[in-house]
Amino acid sequence: MTRIIMNGCNGRMGQCISGICKDDPDVTIVAGVDVFTGVTNEYPVFDDITKCDVEADVVIDFSNAKAVDALLDYCAQKSLPVVLCSTGLSEKQLAHVEETSGKCAVLKSANMSVGINTLMKVLQMVAPVLAGAGFDIEIVEKHHNQKLDAPSGTALALADSIKDSLSEEYHDVYDRSQVRRKRDPHEIGISAVRGGTIVGDHDVIFAGQDEVITLSHTAYSRAIFGKGAVEAAKFLAGKGPGRYDMSDVIDAK
């Protein structure tokens, strides 16, 4: 049984993960942390991570960037593994993450979905074959109309996975509207669609002579990120200091 502290327990993802853990016999949330305490949970909730005195095996963090530094210090002090899901970290905070990974296990990925991270591994196998055969590479991502950033971090991570697998140097292109020229064969085009309530669609298109291969991932709810975080927590519990990501979780399966 993996004992979890849920940091950001009363937020949307925190409550989602609480529900997932309730139905999973291999994990239990033993404590939560949230500045907003007006939600009834089946575990004790602290308004500050430093006040949490409950023994646990791992922390799952779905809070916000402002809360990350205190969390990292807490986990480093207690040698407590942490699955870090908060986004928007500054360069200074990212350096803090690396420093903390020398004192406890830290898992951080651009996307917590098991499916997306499996897709990244598939792309690293497929891309060298198709790029070597002259296929052009395009990524189209679609998200809801409230999303602020474009392209998505996941689209960039997919492109990075492809580039890391190729022997020749490729570069990302986000906009072709200002340049009249033929497509550079060493570019990865990334297009963003924003509309409605789309949770997240990512299509990686390999377009060759008279044939097209498309690898797609569709998120139907944000629960996939919660499920991925729980799987990451199971993997990380008991691990020594180090920097981990979701590819390590998938490799362990």
Side-chain angles (χ1 to χ4, degrees):
M1 177 72 73
T2 301
R3 300 170 300 170
I4 298 170
I5 294 173
M6 184 66 233
N7 194 46
C9 64
N10 290 337
R12 180 167 53 184
M13 286 306 303
Q15 288 295 291
C16 173
I17 291 172
S18 294
I20 292 169
C21 291
K22 189 175 180 179
D23 295 332
D24 189 330
D26 296 325
V27 299
T28 183
I29 297 181
V30 293
V33 179
D34 205 298
V35 292
F36 175 68
T37 57
V39 175
T40 301
N41 293 286
E42 295 181 356
Y43 46 80
V45 177
F46 302 86
D47 61 6
D48 189 316
I49 187 68
T50 61
K51 298 178 183 178
C52 182
D53 57 359
V54 180
E55 291 293 322
D57 301 306
V58 62
V59 177
I60 295 178
D61 168 63
F62 257 109
S63 55
N64 58 66
K66 293 180 180 178
V68 165
D69 289 307
L71 171 66
L72 291 173
D73 290 340
Y74 176 88
C75 291
Q77 181 183 2
K78 293 183 173 291
S79 298
L80 185 62
V82 56
V83 178
L84 192 62
C85 304
S86 292
T87 58
L89 304 188
S90 66
E91 290 299 321
K92 185 177 180 180
Q93 287 179 308
L94 292 174
H96 193 182
V97 170
E98 296 303 322
E99 177 189 350
T100 303
S101 68
K103 302 173 183 176
C104 65
V106 179
L107 188 149
K108 186 178 186 304
S109 284
N111 187 300
M112 295 305 296
S113 160
V114 172
I116 280 288
N117 284 276
T118 302
L119 175 58
M120 290 180 187
K121 286 193 170 291
V122 171
L123 288 172
Q124 290 183 328
M125 293 187 291
V126 170
V129 177
L130 297 179
F135 281 65
D136 295 322
I137 306 171
E138 296 281 319
I139 298 173
V140 179
E141 57 95 343
K142 306 171 189 175
H143 284 87
H144 53 87
N145 58 21
Q146 300 301 302
K147 187 171 177 61
L148 300 179
D149 58 316
S152 68
T154 299
L156 295 174
L158 291 170
D160 287 342
S161 292
I162 293 170
K163 288 183 287 189
D164 289 345
S165 72
L166 301 178
S167 58
E168 296 186 67
E169 186 171 340
Y170 276 65
H171 58 278
D172 301 338
V173 172
Y174 308 121
D175 181 19
R176 298 190 179 95
S177 65
Q178 303 301 314
V179 180
R180 291 180 57 82
R181 69 181 183 194
K182 292 182 179 180
R183 187 187 194 282
D184 180 346
H186 287 90
E187 71 185 37
I188 298 177
I190 303 179
S191 303
V193 176
R194 296 289 175 267
T197 58
I198 301 171
V199 175
D201 282 4
H202 292 85
D203 295 331
V204 183
I205 303 164
F206 295 91
Q209 187 69 36
D210 300 324
E211 59 181 336
V212 175
I213 296 174
T214 302
L215 300 176
S216 300
H217 178 274
T218 299
Y220 291 104
S221 82
R222 292 175 178 82
I224 63 169
F225 309 121
K227 291 175 182 176
V230 172
E231 290 303 310
K234 293 178 186 178
F235 163 81
L236 205 63
K239 293 289 189 297
R243 180 77 161 78
Y244 302 86
D245 60 30
M246 283 300 290
S247 66
D248 297 308
V249 179
I250 293 168
D251 287 341
K253 289 188 174 294

